């Protein structure tokens, strides 16, 4: 199929590259000329394992190309994906200005029957607004063509996006007419060979499914963090509890890891948008609000533990920070817990020496105004001579450090494990003091 994708951010680039990888002819466009220039030069503007190889294959096979032109996008394909950003507005609602502007630009140009698919995460009712905007522009031009719209939300985990797209656990498609359903069923046939993952439903339900999924996962994380904080007070090891409840098939083992809170481009933003939607609908959304409050509190837990250990006196202390990205296998710093931790430590008078395998450039851009932050070239360089170590992101290279070396390198011999990566007994056996999240009984 010939496909155009509007937007070359995280969702758009992964979608376009993966669709090209199974044989489609894909044109990705973006209004950011610098980004398109980088993509044409073979540079990937974000860190996502495996994506560079997929893009390179598509470009080499001439199945994947890049442009800044809406005219080219409309001329290229009768199937167009909208994958532009929907950032949070001041009131927490999803800012749909980019989505609506995209629909207007398409409506001004479409000259044949076309299916427009909204891939962006959008509130219930957005597809109706997109369709109205398209039709408004088509009527102005007396175009006389039929444009169908569909909702096809993404369920990609940062760090595993390529695999998630190529081997999806479900493909949600929301449609109001059979033609759009047939087109998308054919498009996703290569991903349905061993079992049918396609779930076709009405548009509003598809839009809501995305928000409900992210909200459920965010609530699980906040619930486990709240249990971990209680476990600390009761002398309970939350890791034992995690294994115990995760063995229940009604609960399962996923998203039960206590830590320093969730971040990134999805969970915080989507919770805010869903709460705003609930407010407009007259629902209190008490669980969603509680999950959000719990997450904001959790971002300060590690700072509280560090301050308590040092008797509230952090001035003159240097804290090594391992990990800056909001999670491993990404360079995404959006709403990363590390930012709140750095802010809390430096406001208390401490210096921070930080290291992350891939997010250093993004972190420098955000933290360049904070003179108390230093960036180290390696994990060891960050820790050497620091008073204590705080582990913030669960990168693979942090999983099994040399604890005996750390005991010599850290002046105060203290490790604050914000991801519960380590066995407390092993750390203590090396002569270190260990603090985890909910490891009160360890």
């Amino acid at each position: 199929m010939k496909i155009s994708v509007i937007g070359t951010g995280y969702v758009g680039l992964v979608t376009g590259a993966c669709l090209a990888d199974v044989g489609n002819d894909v044109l990705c466009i973006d209004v950011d000329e610098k980004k398109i220039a980088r993509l044409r030069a073979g540079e990937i503007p974000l860190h996502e394992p495996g994506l560079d190889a997929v893009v390179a294959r598509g470009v080499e096979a001439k199945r994947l190309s890049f442009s800044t032109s809406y005219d080219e996008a409309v001329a290229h394909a009768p199937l167009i994906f909208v994958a532009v950003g929907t950032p949070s507005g001041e009131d927490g609602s999803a800012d749909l200005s980019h989505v609506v502007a995209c629909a207007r630009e398409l409506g001004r140009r479409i000259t044949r029957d076309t299916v427009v698919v909204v891939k962006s995460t959008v509130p219930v009712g957005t597809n109706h607004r997109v369709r109205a905007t398209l039709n408004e522009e088509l009527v102005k031009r007396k175009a006389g063509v039929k444009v169908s719209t569909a909702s096809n939300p993404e369920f990609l985990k940062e760090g595993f996006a390529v695999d998630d797209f190529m081997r999806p656990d479900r493909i949600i498609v929301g449609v109001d007419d059979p033609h759009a359903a047939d087109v998308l069923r054919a498009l996703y046939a290569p991903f349905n060979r061993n079992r049918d993952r396609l779930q076709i439903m009405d548009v509003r339900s598809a839009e809501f499914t995305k928000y409900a999924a992210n909200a459920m996962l965010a609530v699980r994380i906040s619930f486990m963090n709240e249990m971990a904080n209680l476990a600390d007070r009761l002398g309970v090891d939350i890791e034992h509890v995690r294994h115990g409840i995760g063995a229940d098939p009604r609960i399962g083992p996923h998203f039960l890891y206590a830590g320093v809170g969730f971040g990134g481009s999805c969970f915080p933003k989507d919770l805010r948008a869903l709460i705003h939607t609930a407010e407009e609908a007259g629902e209190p959304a008490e669980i969603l609000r509680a999950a959000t409050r719990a997450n904001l509190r959790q971002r300060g837990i590690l700072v509280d533990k560090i301050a308590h250990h040092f008797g509230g006196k952090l001035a003159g202390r240097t804290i090594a920070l391992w990990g800056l990205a909001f999670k491993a296998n990404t360079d995404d710093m959006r709403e990363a817990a590390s930012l709140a931790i750095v802010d809390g430590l430096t406001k208390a008078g401490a210096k921070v020496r930080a290291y992350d395998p891939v997010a250093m450039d993004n972190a420098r851009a955000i933290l360049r105004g904070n003179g108390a932050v230093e960036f180290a070239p390696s994990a060891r360089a960050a820790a050497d001579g620091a008073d204590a170590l705080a582990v913030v992101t669960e990168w693979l290279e942090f999983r099994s450090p040399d604890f005996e070396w750390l005991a010599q390198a850290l002046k105060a011999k203290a490790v604050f494990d914000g991801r519960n990566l380590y066995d407390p007994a092993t750390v203590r056996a090396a002569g270190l003091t260990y603090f985890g999240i909910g490891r009160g009984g360890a």
Side-chain angles (χ1 to χ4, degrees):
M1 288 187 185
K2 285 183 175 291
I3 303 162
S4 291
V5 178
I6 315 298
T8 59
Y10 179 79
V11 174
L13 186 56
V14 171
T15 298
C18 289
L19 288 174
D21 209 37
V22 296
N24 296 294
D25 182 354
V26 180
L27 172 65
C28 292
I29 83 156
D30 201 294
V31 296
D32 187 334
E33 294 182 358
K34 291 182 179 179
K35 184 185 290 186
I36 292 300
R38 291 182 64 186
L39 287 166
R40 285 173 169 169
E43 299 178 24
I44 306 300
L46 52 89
H47 179 84
E48 181 60 42
L51 181 59
D52 53 351
V54 178
V55 171
R57 282 198 300 270
V59 171
E60 184 178 2
K62 301 188 185 305
R63 293 193 303 266
L64 180 63
S65 55
F66 304 98
S67 173
T68 59
S69 170
Y70 269 96
D71 290 329
E72 289 183 29
V74 169
H76 177 76
L79 175 57
I80 301 174
F81 280 84
V82 175
V84 297
T86 55
S88 285
E90 291 184 3
D91 60 357
S93 64
D95 181 354
L96 300 177
S97 59
H98 299 303
V99 174
V100 174
C102 178
R104 198 166 298 285
E105 293 293 339
L106 293 174
R108 289 169 178 168
R109 292 167 171 81
I110 290 173
T111 57
R112 58 181 165 180
D113 291 356
T114 301
V115 177
V116 175
V117 183
V118 178
K119 196 78 173 169
S120 305
T121 300
V122 294
V124 172
T126 301
N127 267 256
H128 177 77
R129 187 174 174 185
V130 167
R131 189 183 310 118
T133 303
L134 286 163
N135 288 336
E136 179 185 336
E137 295 299 329
L138 293 170
V139 169
K140 283 181 184 178
R141 296 191 294 115
K142 299 180 180 180
V145 296
K146 180 183 179 182
V147 177
S148 303
T149 60
S151 173
N152 177 216
E154 54 83 16
F155 295 92
L156 307 176
K157 299 186 297 292
E158 289 196 43
F160 302 92
V162 171
D163 192 59
D164 284 347
F165 196 100
M166 302 303 283
R167 299 174 182 82
D169 46 22
R170 80 281 208 196
I171 302 167
I172 303 297
V173 169
V175 293
D176 288 333
D177 70 78
H179 173 64
D182 290 342
V183 169
L184 290 171
R185 185 179 286 109
L187 175 69
Y188 283 116
F191 307 95
N192 275 322
R193 294 196 65 192
N194 66 339
R195 66 179 177 87
D196 189 6
R197 297 171 170 85
L198 193 66
Q199 296 184 29
I200 295 179
M201 59 186 71
D202 65 277
V203 169
R204 294 174 71 86
S205 294
E207 291 171 330
F208 194 67
T209 296
K210 168 65 177 179
Y211 277 104
N214 279 358
M216 171 67 80
L217 297 174
V219 167
R220 278 175 73 105
I221 293 170
S222 282
F223 172 80
M224 282 305 293
N225 283 334
E226 195 159 278
M227 291 298 99
N229 297 338
L230 181 57
D232 264 335
R233 293 179 179 272
L234 298 178
V236 170
D237 187 350
I238 198 66
E239 284 296 288
H240 293 319
V241 176
R242 175 174 68 82
H243 288 295
I245 66 176
D248 186 330
R250 297 170 300 175
I251 298 173
H254 302 297
F255 282 81
L256 295 180
Y257 293 89
V260 291
F262 57 79
S265 64
C266 294
F267 289 179
K269 173 178 73 74
D270 292 351
L271 270 182
R272 288 192 292 268
L274 193 53
I275 289 170
H276 184 269
T277 296
E279 287 176 345
E280 290 191 326
E283 282 294 321
E286 292 173 357
I287 292 176
L288 303 182
R289 294 177 191 276
T292 300
R293 289 194 302 271
N295 191 59
L296 291 174
R297 175 175 180 256
Q298 199 67 20
R299 292 176 181 176
I301 288 293
L302 214 58
V303 175
D304 292 344
K305 288 177 179 286
I306 295 170
H308 184 266
H309 177 67
F310 288 109
K313 300 176 181 179
L314 292 181
R317 298 284 185 181
T318 297
I319 308 300
L321 220 66
W322 281 4
L324 291 162
F326 88 92
K327 62 179 286 190
N329 298 315
T330 182
D331 61 353
D332 197 340
M333 289 291 300
R334 286 173 288 186
E335 305 209 34
S338 64
L339 298 177
I341 292 168
V342 167
D343 184 64
L345 290 172
T346 56
K347 281 182 176 177
K351 294 182 179 179
V352 172
R353 191 185 303 144
Y355 167 75
D356 189 284
V358 302
M360 298 279 270
D361 288 343
N362 289 343
R364 281 192 184 97
I366 296 169
L367 296 170
R368 59 173 173 260
N370 191 333
V373 180
E374 174 189 352
F375 295 94
S378 68
R380 279 202 169 201
D384 197 9
D387 289 283
L389 168 65
V391 182
V392 178
T393 312
E394 67 279 20
W395 284 99
L396 189 62
E397 69 175 85
F398 303 154
R399 299 289 180 91
S400 185
D402 184 338
F403 292 115
E404 292 184 358
W405 179 85
L406 281 173
Q408 298 299 316
L410 297 173
K411 293 178 182 177
K413 302 184 186 302
V415 173
F416 296 86
D417 183 3
R419 296 293 181 176
N420 289 347
L421 298 181
Y422 310 134
D423 172 50
T426 301
V427 179
R428 290 171 182 142
L432 292 158
T433 304
Y434 176 85
F435 301 91
I437 307 295
R439 309 303 299 275

